[in-house]
Amino acid sequence: MSSPATAAPDSAALRVVEEARGSGVYALKDVALVRGAGARVQDAEGRWYLDCAAGHGVASLGHCPPRVVAAVQAQAATLLTCAGSYPNDKRAALLERLLAFAGGGFERAFLTNSGTESVEAALKFARHATGRPGIVAATRAFHGRTLGALSATFTRAYREPFAPLVPRVEHARFGDLASFAELVGDETACVIVEAVQGEGGVHVAPPEFLHGLRALCDARGALLVVDEVQTGFGRTGRAFAYEHAGVAPDLVALGKALAGGVPMGAVLMGPRVRALPVGAHGSTFGGNPLACAAALATLDTLEQDGLVERARELGAWLLERLRALESPLVREVRGLGLMVGVDLRRRVAPLLRALQERGVLALPAGPTVLRLLPPLVISRAELEQVLAALAAGLAELEGCADEEAH
Ligand SMILES: Cc1ncc(COP(=O)(O)O)c(C=O)c1O
């Protein structure tokens, strides 16, 4: 006898469970996402959305990219786990492939499971390579939530409840070389910076600022760490955002889009970073064959489908279209490639809700900035829909008071 069909839980029911049983750290939305395909995600009620949040920048290839799905399925049936102390075919292939993808300036890579772990490892490696304790990060920086990465993150509200954090971490003003020159000295292990600040409001580092940081680090014997967790793998229209400026970092922290949606991160290590002694660092899951297979398929897809160039072209077009939006609510449009911020003269939350009602998911970047991180596979027609939803959402809000701006 067949059992009676039970209705799948709806978004509200799923949210109730997560609110009651989750840790409480997420501001839960009122749509539960249960499926994805390309640039779209579907909620528990069956409604589809254009996904310009892309899992906070993870789904650069779109949802369920076919080559990644096939690679994961095949690897799941072959070998799911393999500790770092045993060489493995997929890991060896990925190490070679990732370093080649990065253009030859790096000699080694350490594989992790998330962005914050990559930052954590990069900071450790910089201290190890230089024998110095100091870390200089930037105002508005976001580098993650574990204690080391959190120490380099700027936002007080994230840091203060967890003090005391890692000592000898200071913040200089983003974009202001003189401010960095005051803090970087002969006890500085590294400067860490995002080439485009994401969470901090989508601020593009001027090329001369990155060049200046490189020269400053060279002059003072410090290493330059670029956090490409959000910007990496084509998001900004180059493989990595520092390439726009043509600077060569010593360490690069990676995560998010690296494995097409499977959790993975990495640290690229340049010639100034020595190989580490056995036991200096490690990770049980880091470099597991499942994630490595997914990352190999991701790099294949990025290259074979020309997604980096696509992000460059579509991004330039999108920025132009956004700058042409005539809304008194828009203060500034910023971005690089398909990493775009629309800075408003008021709080962004109502606009995010208005977009969701029109079938578009997007992100905030601070209180007033709308952040769009669409999958690099999104079509121009889909972006036209996003633009139409945005124009309609802005028009709707123009008539309303900024009820959230206190
Ligand atoms: C620039 C940057 N660094 C680090 C992180 C932390 O990555 P994860 O959330 O995977 O730990 C993020 C996450 O948003 C990020 O944007």
Side-chain angles (χ1 to χ4, degrees), residues 114-117 119 142-145 194 199 227 229-230 256:
S114 66
T116 199
E117 282 176 71
V119 169
F142 185 85
H143 295 296
R145 310 271 194 170
E194 295 153 271
E199 299 285 323
D227 180 343
V229 169
Q230 192 166 142
K256 290 196 191 281

